[in-house]
Amino acid sequence: MSENTFNDNNKSEFLHDEVYESIPPNYDLINHLFTGGMDILWRKKAAKETVASRPEKILDICCGTGDLSISVAKLAAKDAKVTGLDFSRPMLDVAVKKAQKAGYDITFVTGDIADIPFPSDSFDSMCIGFGFRNLTYKNELSAQYISEILRVLKPSGRFVIVESSQPAPDAKIIKFFHRLFVKYVVSFLGRIISGNSAAYKYLAESAVNYYGAEELRDLLLQSGFAKVTFKRLFFGAAAIHVAEK
Ligand SMILES: C[S@@+](CC[C@H](N)C(=O)[O-])C[C@H]1O[C@@H](n2cnc3c(N)ncnc32)[C@H](O)[C@@H]1O
């Protein structure tokens, strides 16, 4: 497979998913704007966790425009093989260019997490940056996605999730302002800047109602992971979970 190019296997009906077909031009900018640039730091932290076990084969799922894949490639051992997987072609177009510019040999693959185009027990580490909510929030395929992730992860492999989260249950004031910000500011500004009101309405609705850190830990344990730890980021606006198979 040539570097920084597409392996176009496993096309699915989701390939032309409307939401992600129209976001790419402003996608990165909007992310940085909404988090005050903290998403960059959060991906770096997640990348550090992903390579902590010295993996040789790493898969970044829902890799989008490739920022987490590149962060991982920067920190991984020189001979480690990093792959990014996403079903959105426009997102991967941006990822390929970014990886080339940054000088990293990353393979980007088009495919659906519902049917990951790799054999069982393929990867030492896997990660996902701000995509797990898409896979598990009110999503009827949620169990299938998690079971596919478990299938391609090697025994004892780690799966690192960086995702928006909820302030700790007892932090009532922070919770109030967090809800206000996500519900109104994110959907309003996202619509104005991207022109895609459906995408940012979904983002705001799902972010406000998504699992808290403890709930996500419990979901992962119930789904078959052997051990799960987590760290809250910025008062719980986001969290990093490390799940071991
Ligand atoms: C919010 S973006 C996150 C992108 C990137 N990981 C980041 O850190 O910015 C979510 C990504 O998940 C992808 N995605 C959502 N559902 C998917 C699925 N079932 N299979 C493959 N990719 C999916 C979308 O195309 C999109 O690129």
Side-chain angles (χ1 to χ4, degrees):
M1 205 181 299
S2 63
E3 63 193 55
N4 296 328
T5 51
F6 290 120
N7 173 6
D8 215 351
N9 58 35
N10 197 43
K11 282 185 184 177
S12 79
E13 71 274 21
F14 293 113
L15 187 60
H16 301 294
D17 180 277
E18 279 173 30
V19 170
Y20 292 107
E21 290 290 307
S22 55
I23 287 181
N26 292 318
Y27 174 79
D28 290 334
L29 173 73
I30 296 173
N31 274 346
H32 302 336
L33 198 73
F34 286 155
T35 62
M38 284 186 292
D39 62 304
I40 300 170
L41 186 71
W42 295 343
R43 280 193 198 81
K44 279 189 188 153
K45 282 181 191 281
K48 234 175 162 176
E49 291 289 352
T50 305
V51 302
S53 51
R54 311 287 299 162
E56 288 170 8
K57 286 184 77 189
I58 306 162
L59 180 65
D60 176 22
I61 57 168
C62 296
C63 66
T65 57
D67 284 358
L68 182 55
S69 314
I70 294 169
S71 286
V72 166
K74 269 184 195 162
L75 296 176
K78 281 214 158 41
D79 54 352
K81 173 91 197 107
V82 180
T83 304
L85 175 70
D86 200 289
F87 64 20
S88 166
R89 210 59 202 243
M91 288 285 199
L92 291 178
D93 281 336
V94 178
V96 167
K97 285 193 192 115
K98 269 194 204 168
Q100 268 164 358
K101 198 169 166 206
Y104 289 99
D105 173 5
I106 301 170
T107 302
F108 289 102
V109 177
T110 312
D112 196 326
I113 314 305
D115 185 14
I116 299 180
F118 294 102
S120 300
D121 302 337
S122 289
F123 297 96
D124 303 292
S125 277
M126 290 172 64
C127 56
I128 184 165
F130 306 101
F132 205 61
R133 184 162 31 91
N134 292 103
L135 301 183
T136 54
Y137 177 73
K138 290 189 182 169
N139 195 320
E140 59 184 16
L141 294 179
S142 173
Q144 189 177 336
Y145 292 136
I146 299 175
S147 117
E148 274 295 276
I149 292 164
L150 273 163
R151 181 184 65 76
V152 297
L153 191 60
K154 285 186 189 169
S156 303
R158 49 169 49 200
F159 174 47
V160 177
I161 302 167
V162 56
E163 187 50 80
S164 68
S165 188
Q166 307 297 338
D170 55 351
K172 296 227 160 50
I173 295 173
I174 293 173
K175 214 172 165 68
F176 173 78
F177 284 109
H178 175 252
R179 275 188 93 83
L180 214 65
F181 177 76
V182 175
K183 220 169 161 179
Y184 299 105
V185 182
V186 169
S187 54
F188 178 72
L189 281 183
R191 176 161 48 99
I192 303 288
I193 301 169
S194 75
N196 187 339
S197 71
Y200 283 90
K201 203 170 158 220
Y202 164 79
L203 192 152
E205 202 262 328
S206 61
V208 162
N209 296 303
Y210 193 53
Y211 300 117
E214 291 83 358
E215 290 170 322
L216 185 54
R217 175 200 57 202
D218 294 346
L219 173 75
L220 292 163
L221 288 171
Q222 281 155 20
S223 305
F225 283 95
K227 187 182 163 200
V228 181
T229 55
F230 67 82
K231 283 179 197 151
R232 282 186 223 283
L233 303 166
F234 197 64
F235 305 107
I240 292 178
H241 287 71
V242 179
E244 283 173 28
K245 181 170 168 182

